[in-house]
Amino acid sequence: MLHLVAFLLHCLPLAMGHYDICKSWVTTDDGPSWEFYACQPKAMRMKDYVTVRVDPPGITCGDPPERFCTHENPYLCSDECDASTPDLAHPPKLMFDKEDEGLATYWQSVTWSRYPEPLLANITLSWNKSIELTDDIVVTFEYGRPTIMMLEKSLDNGRTWHPYQYYADDCMEAFGMPARRVRDLSTTNANRIICTEEYSRWAGSKKEKNVRLEVRDRFAIFAGQDLRNMDNLYTRLESAKGLKDFFTMTDLRMRLLRPALGGTYVQRENLYKYFYAVSNIEVTGRCKCNLHANLCSFKEGSLQCECEHNTTGQDCGKCKKNFRTRSWRAGSYLPLPNGSPNACAAAGSAFGNCECYGHSNRCSYIDFLNVVTCVSCKHNTRGQHCQHCRLGFYRNGSAELDDENVCIECNCNQIGSLHDRCNETGYCECREGASGPKCDDCLPNYYWRQGCFPNVCDEELLICQNGGTCYQNQRCICPAGYKGVLCEQSKCDSDNKACNSASSTYLSLTLFLISALILQLRHLDF
Ligand SMILES: *[C@@H]1O[C@H](CO)[C@@H](O)[C@H](O)[C@H]1NC(C)=O
Ligand SMILES: *[C@@H]1O[C@H](CO)[C@@H](O)[C@H](O)[C@H]1NC(C)=O
Ligand SMILES: *[C@@H]1O[C@H](CO)[C@@H](O)[C@H](O)[C@H]1NC(C)=O
Ligand SMILES: *[C@@H]1O[C@H](CO)[C@@H](O)[C@H](O)[C@H]1NC(C)=O
Ligand SMILES: *[C@@H]1O[C@H](CO)[C@@H](O)[C@H](O)[C@H]1NC(C)=O
Ligand SMILES: [Ca+2]
């Protein structure tokens, strides 16, 4: 079922005017045709499409039922949280419902009965889709805002996390960071991660309920107050490194680290008034579609861009099959005001008939060969159509020719292999004694020491004699009185002369040569 998202927030400047159509049918001197533009979906209330997870297990109040009180009324602890009674339960979903006039509905944690062990909770919001913030994130707390918390975000569906903003009543004490305000940032540090004290203090702000991640104030650094100069913001989003990504995420995590205290100290005799209660989390943003879609729909439980410009994927992040003549590119806000669609092109369109499997944007005609060939093949490919792997790379059997991962580095061990090329299954050519696909192992009866060398001694054939011990297959450590490669030789034969240095050296050299010869012969047997 295709359920089109129709939540348009008309009050948002970013939802208006700009980049809202992907193509239009125009008539030119050559007749009517499509014209294409960079386009993006409207901003929406992202809390309607989120899945939430609250950690650790058992942090939600009411199981078993519990009494609590408030900072306003600290000795009247008659309020009750009971998970089994709908009217008294405070499950996580109440952070995302529609508030009726008057009474707030909220998720609530257990109280701080284990003080001084910290009362910690994580609230993780996941969209399974990259989204771009267009307005402040606003978290509404009932019964006081936390005195320490932080926001983290993920860009890869929760595999890796990054700090987003720190909040504390004393930033230096809680996080070792100086307190800053977004309003004091400038164009050179607009995507700085800050710690703010604005939303965590109790004194003078008892009635304040909201904690913000100030997206508008950051936009305003470029677009000015009231966000009048959006063109400047769009220009900067294209050019300033990391700025677009700052407003992008797939997941958001709120780490609650210390609840509201209602004063300077925690009152141990009344821990029923310390807990977290969140009534709403407002996240306003749009699907990230790389400027290749102006619609985003909710299908099978996930947001999905309705890709144009012959792109495909959840974020329109690649070219459709048969439209991979040049490599995929995101659309661009520039040049103003319509941007560039950077559409994917079919073979046989803009580039003549030269297919490059998406590894090159350029073809060139070579006169004396009378061929058209791809120029500067990327992704470690080479060849007229970028259809081969560069030397030192081999073909990824599970990737199609137009996949970015089509060529895998051979990674041959520099010492163990003859050269850095490998065969079609990634096997390198090994030097004598070396083995393994990458030649970083030794054959049996060889040892590794910057290359593979035949064992001098071992536990099978080349056994150290006379009680000698084999050191890492490299040499025998002989007991006093014995010598030789395998300690096979007594230093002092019954003939006393042999103990004298000159002749003994001569003798042992001879024996060494003989035993080396034996070793060589044995080696030939393998
Ligand atoms: C919250 O998430 C962080 C990782 O971001 C983790 O280290 C921490 O243990 C979690 N806390 C709880 C209470 O689950
Ligand atoms: C996430 O989205 C992808 C693409 O729409 C979908 O295939 C996948 O099942 C979704 N995963 C979850 C956990 O919803
Ligand atoms: C995408 O491909 C279709 C043909 O399937 C073509 O009509 C259309 O113009 C292409 N769009 C773009 C933006 O190249
Ligand atoms: C081979 O290609 C597949 C498909 O793109 C990719 O998932 C995989 O990681 C690639 N393998 C290597 C070793 O790069
Ligand atoms: C690559 O070399 C390995 C080891 O020599 C061999 O087993 C494999 O069959 C070779 N693959 C191809 C495609 O030649
Ligand atoms: Ca609510």
Side-chain angles (χ1 to χ4, degrees):
M1 255 291 288
L2 192 142
H3 160 68
L4 277 190
V5 167
F7 248 116
L8 314 184
L9 291 191
H10 292 286
C11 51
L12 288 171
L14 289 190
M16 298 197 294
H18 274 85
Y19 307 110
D20 50 359
I21 54 168
C22 297
K23 60 184 176 192
S24 75
W25 188 242
V26 295
T27 311
T28 63
D29 292 348
D30 304 331
S33 67
W34 285 109
E35 208 167 80
F36 300 99
Y37 317 101
C39 52
Q40 59 187 4
K42 299 273 191 297
M44 311 188 286
R45 288 168 49 168
M46 286 294 169
K47 74 171 184 183
D48 295 342
Y49 310 99
V50 80
T51 51
V52 63
R53 194 194 140 96
V54 176
D55 286 306
I59 188 70
T60 300
C61 69
D63 185 17
E66 199 181 356
R67 287 194 179 281
F68 63 93
C69 36
T70 65
H71 295 295
E72 308 293 318
N73 231 340
Y75 295 102
L76 188 69
C77 301
S78 57
D79 286 332
E80 193 177 2
C81 176
D82 180 354
S84 60
T85 309
D87 282 351
L88 300 175
H90 294 282
K93 66 173 186 216
L94 298 182
M95 296 185 278
F96 307 100
D97 59 347
K98 287 199 180 61
E99 296 289 350
D100 287 331
E101 288 300 314
L103 219 55
T105 56
Y106 49 90
W107 167 80
Q108 187 177 319
S109 77
V110 295
T111 61
W112 204 357
S113 55
R114 295 218 189 139
Y115 178 87
E117 198 179 297
L119 181 64
L120 303 178
N122 286 351
I123 300 173
T124 307
L125 314 190
S126 305
W127 283 275
N128 189 25
K129 169 80 190 76
S130 26
I131 62 169
E132 295 167 338
L133 297 177
T134 56
D135 205 337
D136 294 3
I137 294 175
V138 185
V139 185
T140 308
F141 288 88
E142 306 297 322
Y143 307 111
R145 301 177 292 186
T147 45
I148 307 180
M149 65 171 263
M150 68 176 288
L151 286 180
E152 293 178 319
K153 70 164 188 175
S154 171
L155 282 162
D156 52 12
N157 294 315
R159 273 183 287 279
T160 56
W161 290 89
H162 314 278
Y164 210 7
Q165 189 146 311
Y166 296 84
Y167 302 85
D169 52 0
D170 184 337
C171 279
M172 203 39 107
E173 184 191 282
F175 298 111
M177 297 169 80
R180 282 206 165 76
R181 293 183 313 174
V182 171
R183 288 189 289 278
D184 301 331
L185 297 178
S186 69
T187 53
T188 53
N189 60 10
N191 53 356
R192 178 176 208 143
I193 312 287
I194 62 160
C195 181
T196 173
E197 296 178 353
E198 248 176 299
Y199 309 101
S200 311
R201 284 180 306 239
W202 177 262
S205 57
K206 285 183 206 177
K207 297 242 157 53
E208 293 291 333
K209 293 179 159 192
N210 291 341
V211 173
R212 287 175 179 270
L213 178 97
E214 307 88 339
V215 170
R216 274 172 171 261
D217 285 346
R218 299 216 186 219
F219 285 170
I221 295 170
F222 304 106
Q225 285 306 316
D226 305 327
L227 307 184
R228 277 184 219 282
N229 188 359
M230 288 303 283
D231 282 357
N232 190 38
L233 174 64
Y234 285 126
T235 304
R236 296 301 287 250
L237 282 172
E238 287 295 341
S239 59
K241 195 164 175 288
L243 190 60
K244 235 184 200 174
D245 275 353
F246 182 87
F247 301 106
T248 307
M249 68 182 77
T250 57
D251 302 70
L252 182 71
R253 177 180 287 157
M254 188 159 54
R255 296 179 63 179
L256 305 175
L257 300 168
R258 195 175 68 195
L261 303 184
T264 322
Y265 301 106
V266 175
Q267 288 181 302
R268 283 176 163 245
E269 67 283 3
N270 187 355
L271 294 172
Y272 297 116
K273 60 178 181 172
Y274 304 111
F275 55 86
Y276 306 106
V278 178
S279 57
N280 194 43
I281 303 180
E282 203 64 59
V283 179
T284 309
R286 66 164 63 91
C287 289
K288 172 182 172 167
C289 301
N290 287 299
L291 294 172
H292 288 311
N294 61 354
L295 290 175
C296 188
S297 57
F298 196 60
K299 283 184 205 162
E300 288 148 21
S302 288
L303 288 165
Q304 181 114 35
C305 302
E306 303 269 318
C307 302
E308 301 267 1
H309 304 156
N310 292 312
T311 60
T312 184
Q314 225 190 354
D315 303 349
C316 309
K318 53 187 183 180
C319 293
K320 266 177 148 157
K321 216 171 172 59
N322 302 325
F323 289 90
R324 294 175 183 170
T325 300
R326 51 187 159 177
S327 26
W328 174 91
R329 285 162 69 197
S332 168
Y333 288 123
L334 302 178
L336 300 166
N338 288 331
S340 323
N342 294 335
C344 293
S349 59
F351 293 102
N353 267 321
C354 182
E355 167 82 83
C356 300
Y357 296 104
H359 303 306
S360 165
N361 281 328
R362 227 146 43 88
C363 287
S364 126
Y365 176 68
I366 302 179
D367 207 4
F368 63 93
L369 292 174
N370 189 28
V371 294
V372 178
T373 180
C374 306
V375 177
S376 323
C377 295
K378 288 190 288 190
H379 312 132
N380 304 307
T381 62
R382 66 178 177 90
Q384 184 184 358
H385 303 290
C386 307
Q387 79 276 36
H388 298 305
C389 288
R390 271 172 46 200
L391 290 182
F393 291 80
Y394 68 103
R395 178 69 201 274
N396 180 347
S398 50
E400 293 194 47
L401 214 42
D402 55 15
D403 196 309
E404 281 190 19
N405 299 314
V406 68
C407 294
I408 305 174
E409 194 168 4
C410 291
N411 244 325
C412 302
N413 186 292
Q414 288 201 341
I415 299 169
S417 60
L418 288 168
H419 46 72
D420 55 13
R421 300 188 291 280
C422 55
N423 76 7
E424 286 128 78
T425 45
Y427 278 81
C428 304
E429 255 194 275
C430 299
R431 289 181 193 277
E432 193 199 330
S435 73
K438 307 301 170 198
C439 306
D440 47 6
D441 267 340
C442 291
L443 288 171
N445 301 317
Y446 283 81
Y447 68 95
W448 180 271
R449 193 180 163 209
Q450 298 191 326
C452 294
F453 294 92
N455 287 354
V456 172
C457 55
D458 59 28
E459 306 298 320
E460 292 162 35
L461 294 168
L462 305 169
I463 299 171
C464 302
Q465 324 236 318
N466 295 313
T469 51
C470 183
Y471 173 74
Q472 292 182 351
N473 300 109
Q474 295 173 17
R475 60 188 170 89
C476 290
I477 300 173
C478 299
Y482 290 95
K483 58 182 179 177
V485 175
L486 296 175
C487 312
E488 71 285 358
Q489 193 190 342
S490 168
K491 280 187 181 159
C492 295
D493 288 339
S494 46
D495 179 359
N496 231 359
K497 269 187 281 175
C499 280
N500 290 337
S501 53
S503 57
S504 107
T505 306
Y506 177 73
L507 188 65
S508 65
L509 187 64
T510 317
L511 280 172
F512 173 79
L513 287 174
I514 290 169
S515 53
L517 191 64
I518 292 170
L519 284 177
Q520 283 297 314
L521 288 172
R522 283 189 184 169
H523 175 56
L524 286 179
D525 284 345
F526 291 126

